[in-house]
Amino acid sequence: VDTSYFALIGRKMLNKLKAIASTPYLKMKFPNLMGDIVIVKVDHKQARQCYTESLKVAPYPPIQ
């Protein structure tokens, strides 16, 4: 899915999934029901673009 965020996962859910999240590498690993390790990767270019967009703040309207 080509979106900025597919899901926001909290600490409790990470613990339930037995997941390991790596912010510097923008990856998350967790075991599936078969015992294999699933790796979720982020597109670095898209992550930078989303971060840059999040820094842009609309100017406040002038106070009258």
Coordinates of all heavy atoms in Angstrom, one line a residue:
V1 N 0.8 -1.2 0.0 CA 0.0 0.0 0.0 C 0.9 1.2 0.0 O 1.8 1.3 0.8 CB -0.9 0.0 1.2 CG1 -1.7 1.3 1.3 CG2 -1.8 -1.2 1.2
D2 N 0.7 2.1 -0.9 CA 1.5 3.3 -1.0 C 0.8 4.5 -0.3 O 0.1 5.3 -0.9 CB 1.7 3.7 -2.5 CG 2.7 4.8 -2.7 OD1 3.6 5.0 -1.8 OD2 2.7 5.4 -3.8
T3 N 1.0 4.5 1.0 CA 0.5 5.6 1.9 C 1.5 6.1 2.8 O 2.5 5.4 3.0 CB -0.7 5.1 2.7 OG1 -0.3 4.1 3.5 CG2 -1.9 4.6 1.8
S4 N 1.3 7.3 3.4 CA 2.2 7.8 4.4 C 2.2 6.9 5.6 O 3.3 6.5 6.1 CB 1.8 9.2 4.8 OG 1.8 10.0 3.7
Y5 N 1.1 6.5 6.1 CA 1.0 5.6 7.3 C -0.1 4.6 7.0 O -1.2 5.0 6.6 CB 0.6 6.4 8.6 CG 1.7 7.3 9.0 CD1 1.6 8.7 8.8 CD2 2.8 6.8 9.7 CE1 2.6 9.5 9.2 CE2 3.8 7.7 10.2 CZ 3.7 9.0 9.9 OH 4.7 9.8 10.3
F6 N 0.2 3.3 7.2 CA -0.8 2.3 7.0 C -1.4 2.0 8.4 O -2.6 1.8 8.6 CB -0.2 1.0 6.5 CG -1.2 0.0 6.2 CD1 -2.1 0.1 5.2 CD2 -1.2 -1.2 7.0 CE1 -3.0 -0.9 5.0 CE2 -2.1 -2.1 6.8 CZ -3.0 -2.0 5.8
A7 N -0.6 2.1 9.5 CA -1.0 1.9 10.8 C -0.1 2.6 11.8 O 1.1 2.6 11.6 CB -1.2 0.4 11.1
L8 N -0.6 3.0 12.9 CA 0.2 3.5 14.0 C 0.1 2.5 15.1 O -1.0 2.1 15.5 CB -0.3 4.9 14.5 CG -0.2 6.0 13.5 CD1 -0.8 7.3 14.1 CD2 1.2 6.3 13.1
I9 N 1.2 2.0 15.5 CA 1.2 0.8 16.5 C 1.8 1.3 17.8 O 2.9 1.9 17.8 CB 2.1 -0.3 15.9 CG1 1.5 -0.8 14.6 CG2 2.1 -1.5 16.9 CD1 2.3 -1.9 13.9
G10 N 1.1 1.1 18.9 CA 1.5 1.5 20.2 C 2.4 0.5 20.8 O 2.6 -0.6 20.3
R11 N 2.9 0.9 22.0 CA 3.9 0.0 22.7 C 3.2 -1.3 23.1 O 3.8 -2.4 23.1 CB 4.4 0.8 23.9 CG 5.5 0.0 24.7 CD 6.1 0.8 25.8 NE 6.7 2.0 25.3 CZ 7.1 3.0 26.0 NH1 6.9 3.0 27.3 NH2 7.6 4.1 25.5
K12 N 2.0 -1.3 23.6 CA 1.3 -2.5 24.0 C 1.2 -3.5 22.8 O 1.4 -4.7 23.0 CB -0.1 -2.2 24.5 CG -0.1 -1.6 25.9 CD -1.5 -1.4 26.4 CE -1.5 -0.9 27.8 NZ -2.9 -0.7 28.4
M13 N 0.8 -3.0 21.6 CA 0.7 -3.9 20.5 C 2.1 -4.4 20.0 O 2.2 -5.5 19.7 CB 0.0 -3.1 19.3 CG -0.2 -4.0 18.1 SD -1.1 -5.5 18.4 CE -2.7 -4.9 18.7
L14 N 3.1 -3.6 20.1 CA 4.4 -4.1 19.8 C 4.8 -5.2 20.7 O 5.4 -6.2 20.3 CB 5.5 -2.9 19.9 CG 5.4 -1.9 18.8 CD1 6.4 -0.7 19.2 CD2 5.8 -2.5 17.5
N15 N 4.5 -5.1 22.0 CA 4.8 -6.2 23.0 C 4.0 -7.4 22.6 O 4.5 -8.5 22.7 CB 4.5 -5.7 24.4 CG 5.5 -4.7 24.9 OD1 6.6 -4.7 24.4 ND2 5.1 -3.9 25.8
K16 N 2.7 -7.2 22.3 CA 1.9 -8.4 21.9 C 2.4 -9.1 20.7 O 2.4 -10.3 20.6 CB 0.4 -8.0 21.7 CG -0.4 -7.7 22.9 CD -1.8 -7.4 22.6 CE -2.6 -7.1 23.9 NZ -4.0 -6.8 23.6
L17 N 2.9 -8.3 19.7 CA 3.4 -8.9 18.5 C 4.8 -9.5 18.7 O 5.4 -10.2 17.8 CB 3.5 -7.8 17.4 CG 2.2 -7.4 16.8 CD1 2.5 -6.2 15.9 CD2 1.5 -8.5 16.1
K18 N 5.4 -9.2 19.9 CA 6.8 -9.5 20.1 C 7.7 -8.9 19.1 O 8.7 -9.5 18.5 CB 7.0 -11.0 20.2 CG 6.2 -11.7 21.3 CD 6.4 -13.2 21.3 CE 5.6 -13.8 22.5 NZ 5.7 -15.2 22.5
A19 N 7.4 -7.7 18.7 CA 8.1 -7.0 17.6 C 9.3 -6.2 18.1 O 9.3 -5.7 19.3 CB 7.1 -6.0 17.0
I20 N 10.2 -6.0 17.2 CA 11.4 -5.1 17.5 C 11.4 -4.1 16.4 O 11.4 -4.4 15.2 CB 12.7 -5.9 17.4 CG1 12.7 -7.0 18.5 CG2 13.9 -5.0 17.5 CD1 13.9 -8.0 18.4
A21 N 11.3 -2.8 16.8 CA 11.2 -1.7 15.9 C 12.6 -1.0 15.9 O 13.1 -0.7 17.0 CB 10.1 -0.7 16.2
S22 N 13.1 -0.6 14.8 CA 14.4 0.1 14.7 C 14.1 1.4 14.0 O 13.8 1.4 12.8 CB 15.4 -0.7 13.9 OG 16.5 0.1 13.7
T23 N 14.1 2.5 14.7 CA 13.9 3.8 14.1 C 15.0 4.2 13.1 O 14.7 4.7 12.1 CB 13.7 4.9 15.2 OG1 12.7 4.4 16.1 CG2 13.4 6.2 14.7
P24 N 16.3 4.0 13.5 CA 17.3 4.5 12.5 C 17.2 3.7 11.2 O 17.5 4.3 10.1 CB 18.6 4.1 13.2 CG 18.3 4.0 14.6 CD 16.9 3.6 14.7
Y25 N 16.8 2.4 11.2 CA 16.8 1.7 10.0 C 15.4 1.6 9.3 O 15.2 1.1 8.3 CB 17.2 0.2 10.2 CG 18.7 0.2 10.6 CD1 19.1 -0.1 11.9 CD2 19.7 0.4 9.6 CE1 20.4 -0.1 12.2 CE2 21.0 0.3 10.0 CZ 21.4 0.1 11.3 OH 22.7 0.0 11.6
L26 N 14.4 2.2 10.0 CA 13.0 2.3 9.6 C 12.5 0.9 9.2 O 11.9 0.6 8.2 CB 12.8 3.2 8.4 CG 13.2 4.7 8.7 CD1 13.1 5.5 7.4 CD2 12.4 5.3 9.8
K27 N 12.7 -0.1 10.2 CA 12.3 -1.4 10.0 C 11.7 -2.0 11.3 O 11.9 -1.5 12.4 CB 13.5 -2.4 9.7 CG 14.1 -2.1 8.3 CD 15.2 -3.2 8.1 CE 15.8 -2.9 6.7 NZ 16.9 -3.9 6.5
M28 N 10.8 -3.0 11.1 CA 10.2 -3.6 12.2 C 10.2 -5.1 12.0 O 9.9 -5.6 10.8 CB 8.8 -3.2 12.5 CG 8.1 -3.8 13.7 SD 6.5 -3.2 14.1 CE 5.6 -3.8 12.7
K29 N 10.6 -5.9 12.9 CA 10.7 -7.4 12.8 C 9.8 -8.0 13.9 O 9.8 -7.6 15.0 CB 12.1 -7.9 12.9 CG 13.0 -7.5 11.9 CD 14.4 -8.1 12.1 CE 15.4 -7.6 11.0 NZ 16.7 -8.2 11.1
F30 N 9.1 -9.1 13.4 CA 8.3 -9.8 14.4 C 8.0 -11.2 13.9 O 8.0 -11.4 12.7 CB 6.9 -9.1 14.7 CG 6.1 -8.9 13.5 CD1 5.1 -9.8 13.1 CD2 6.2 -7.7 12.7 CE1 4.3 -9.5 12.0 CE2 5.4 -7.5 11.6 CZ 4.5 -8.4 11.3
P31 N 7.8 -12.2 14.8 CA 7.5 -13.6 14.3 C 6.1 -13.7 13.9 O 5.2 -13.2 14.5 CB 7.8 -14.4 15.5 CG 7.6 -13.5 16.7 CD 7.9 -12.1 16.2
N32 N 5.8 -14.5 12.8 CA 4.4 -14.8 12.4 C 4.0 -16.1 13.1 O 4.8 -16.7 13.9 CB 4.3 -14.8 10.9 CG 5.0 -16.0 10.2 OD1 5.6 -16.9 10.9 ND2 5.1 -15.9 8.9
L33 N 2.8 -16.6 12.8 CA 2.3 -17.8 13.4 C 3.0 -19.0 13.1 O 3.0 -20.0 13.8 CB 0.8 -17.9 13.1 CG -0.1 -16.8 13.6 CD1 -1.5 -17.0 13.1 CD2 -0.1 -16.7 15.1
M34 N 3.7 -19.0 11.9 CA 4.5 -20.2 11.5 C 5.9 -20.2 12.1 O 6.7 -21.1 11.9 CB 4.6 -20.2 9.9 CG 3.3 -20.1 9.2 SD 2.4 -21.6 9.4 CE 3.0 -22.5 8.0
G35 N 6.3 -19.1 12.8 CA 7.6 -19.1 13.4 C 8.6 -18.4 12.6 O 9.8 -18.2 13.0
D36 N 8.2 -17.9 11.4 CA 9.1 -17.2 10.5 C 9.2 -15.7 11.0 O 8.3 -15.2 11.6 CB 8.7 -17.2 9.0 CG 8.6 -18.6 8.5 OD1 9.5 -19.4 8.8 OD2 7.7 -18.9 7.7
I37 N 10.3 -15.0 10.6 CA 10.4 -13.6 11.0 C 9.9 -12.8 9.8 O 10.4 -12.9 8.7 CB 11.9 -13.3 11.3 CG1 12.4 -14.1 12.4 CG2 12.1 -11.8 11.6 CD1 11.7 -13.9 13.7
V38 N 9.0 -11.9 10.1 CA 8.4 -10.9 9.2 C 9.2 -9.6 9.3 O 9.4 -9.1 10.4 CB 6.9 -10.7 9.4 CG1 6.4 -9.7 8.4 CG2 6.2 -12.0 9.3
I39 N 9.6 -9.0 8.2 CA 10.3 -7.7 8.2 C 9.5 -6.7 7.5 O 9.1 -6.9 6.3 CB 11.7 -7.8 7.6 CG1 12.5 -8.9 8.3 CG2 12.4 -6.5 7.6 CD1 13.9 -9.2 7.7
V40 N 9.1 -5.6 8.2 CA 8.4 -4.5 7.5 C 9.4 -3.4 7.3 O 10.1 -2.9 8.2 CB 7.3 -4.0 8.5 CG1 6.5 -2.8 7.8 CG2 6.3 -5.1 8.8
K41 N 9.6 -3.0 6.0 CA 10.6 -2.0 5.7 C 9.9 -0.7 5.2 O 8.8 -0.8 4.7 CB 11.5 -2.5 4.6 CG 12.3 -3.7 4.9 CD 13.1 -4.1 3.7 CE 13.8 -5.4 4.0 NZ 14.5 -5.9 2.8
V42 N 10.5 0.4 5.3 CA 10.0 1.7 4.9 C 10.8 2.2 3.8 O 12.0 2.0 3.7 CB 10.0 2.7 6.1 CG1 9.6 4.1 5.6 CG2 9.1 2.2 7.2
D43 N 10.2 2.9 2.8 CA 10.9 3.5 1.7 C 11.5 4.8 2.3 O 10.8 5.7 2.7 CB 9.9 3.8 0.6 CG 10.5 4.6 -0.6 OD1 11.7 4.6 -0.7 OD2 9.7 5.1 -1.4
H44 N 12.8 4.9 2.3 CA 13.5 6.0 2.9 C 13.2 7.3 2.2 O 13.0 8.4 2.9 CB 15.0 5.8 2.9 CG 15.5 4.8 3.9 ND1 15.9 5.1 5.2 CD2 15.5 3.4 3.8 CE1 16.2 4.0 5.8 NE2 16.0 2.9 5.0
K45 N 13.0 7.3 0.9 CA 12.7 8.5 0.2 C 11.3 9.0 0.6 O 11.2 10.2 0.8 CB 12.8 8.3 -1.3 CG 12.6 9.5 -2.2 CD 12.7 9.2 -3.7 CE 12.4 10.4 -4.5 NZ 12.5 10.1 -5.9
Q46 N 10.4 8.2 0.6 CA 9.0 8.6 1.0 C 9.0 9.0 2.5 O 8.3 10.0 2.8 CB 8.0 7.4 0.8 CG 6.6 7.8 1.1 CD 5.6 6.7 0.8 OE1 6.0 5.6 0.5 NE2 4.4 7.0 0.8
A47 N 9.7 8.4 3.3 CA 9.8 8.8 4.7 C 10.3 10.2 4.9 O 9.8 11.0 5.7 CB 10.6 7.8 5.5
R48 N 11.4 10.5 4.1 CA 11.9 11.9 4.2 C 10.9 12.9 3.7 O 10.8 14.0 4.2 CB 13.2 11.9 3.4 CG 14.5 11.5 4.1 CD 15.7 11.9 3.3 NE 15.8 11.2 2.0 CZ 16.3 10.0 1.8 NH1 16.8 9.3 2.9 NH2 16.4 9.5 0.7
Q49 N 10.2 12.5 2.6 CA 9.2 13.4 2.0 C 8.1 13.7 3.0 O 7.7 14.8 3.2 CB 8.6 12.8 0.8 CG 7.6 13.7 0.1 CD 7.1 13.1 -1.2 OE1 7.5 12.0 -1.6 NE2 6.2 13.7 -1.8
C50 N 7.6 12.6 3.7 CA 6.6 12.8 4.7 C 7.0 13.6 5.9 O 6.3 14.5 6.4 CB 6.1 11.4 5.2 SG 5.2 10.5 4.0
Y51 N 8.3 13.4 6.3 CA 8.8 14.2 7.4 C 8.9 15.7 7.0 O 8.5 16.6 7.8 CB 10.2 13.7 7.8 CG 10.9 14.5 8.9 CD1 10.4 14.5 10.2 CD2 12.0 15.3 8.6 CE1 11.0 15.2 11.2 CE2 12.6 16.0 9.6 CZ 12.1 16.0 10.9 OH 12.7 16.8 11.8
T52 N 9.4 16.0 5.8 CA 9.5 17.3 5.3 C 8.1 18.0 5.3 O 8.0 19.1 5.7 CB 10.1 17.4 3.9 OG1 11.4 16.7 4.0 CG2 10.3 18.8 3.4
E53 N 7.1 17.2 4.8 CA 5.8 17.8 4.7 C 5.2 18.1 6.1 O 4.5 19.0 6.3 CB 4.8 16.8 4.0 CG 5.1 16.7 2.5 CD 4.8 18.1 1.8 OE1 3.8 18.7 2.1 OE2 5.5 18.4 0.9
S54 N 5.6 17.2 7.1 CA 5.1 17.4 8.4 C 5.7 18.7 9.1 O 5.1 19.2 10.0 CB 5.4 16.2 9.3 OG 6.7 16.2 9.7
L55 N 6.8 19.1 8.6 CA 7.4 20.3 9.2 C 6.8 21.6 8.6 O 6.9 22.7 9.3 CB 8.9 20.4 8.9 CG 9.7 19.2 9.5 CD1 11.2 19.3 9.0 CD2 9.7 19.3 11.0
K56 N 6.1 21.5 7.5 CA 5.5 22.7 6.9 C 4.2 23.0 7.7 O 3.3 22.2 7.8 CB 5.1 22.5 5.5 CG 6.3 22.3 4.6 CD 5.9 22.1 3.2 CE 7.2 21.8 2.3 NZ 6.8 21.4 1.0
V57 N 4.2 24.2 8.3 CA 3.0 24.7 9.1 C 2.4 25.8 8.4 O 3.1 26.8 8.0 CB 3.5 25.0 10.5 CG1 2.3 25.5 11.4 CG2 4.2 23.9 11.2
A58 N 1.1 25.8 8.3 CA 0.4 26.9 7.7 C 0.5 28.2 8.6 O 0.5 28.1 9.8 CB -1.1 26.6 7.5
P59 N 0.7 29.3 8.0 CA 0.9 30.6 8.8 C -0.5 30.9 9.5 O -1.5 30.6 9.0 CB 1.2 31.6 7.8 CG 0.8 31.1 6.5 CD 0.8 29.6 6.6
Y60 N -0.4 31.5 10.7 CA -1.6 31.9 11.4 C -2.2 33.1 10.7 O -1.5 34.0 10.2 CB -1.2 32.3 12.8 CG -0.9 31.1 13.7 CD1 0.4 30.9 14.1 CD2 -1.9 30.3 14.2 CE1 0.8 29.8 14.9 CE2 -1.6 29.2 15.0 CZ -0.2 28.9 15.3 OH 0.1 27.9 16.1
P61 N -3.5 33.2 10.6 CA -4.2 34.3 10.1 C -3.9 35.6 10.9 O -3.7 35.4 12.1 CB -5.7 34.0 10.0 CG -5.8 32.9 11.0 CD -4.5 32.2 11.1
P62 N -3.8 36.7 10.3 CA -3.5 37.9 11.1 C -4.6 38.2 12.1 O -5.8 38.0 11.9 CB -3.4 39.1 10.1 CG -4.1 38.5 8.9 CD -4.0 37.0 8.9
I63 N -4.2 38.7 13.3 CA -5.2 39.1 14.3 C -5.7 40.4 14.0 O -5.0 41.4 13.8 CB -4.5 39.1 15.7 CG1 -3.9 37.7 16.0 CG2 -5.5 39.5 16.8 CD1 -3.1 37.6 17.3
Q64 N -7.0 40.5 14.1 CA -7.7 41.8 13.7 C -8.3 42.4 14.9 O -8.7 41.9 15.8 CB -8.8 41.6 12.7 CG -8.1 41.1 11.4 CD -9.2 40.9 10.3 OE1 -10.3 41.3 10.4 NE2 -8.8 40.2 9.3

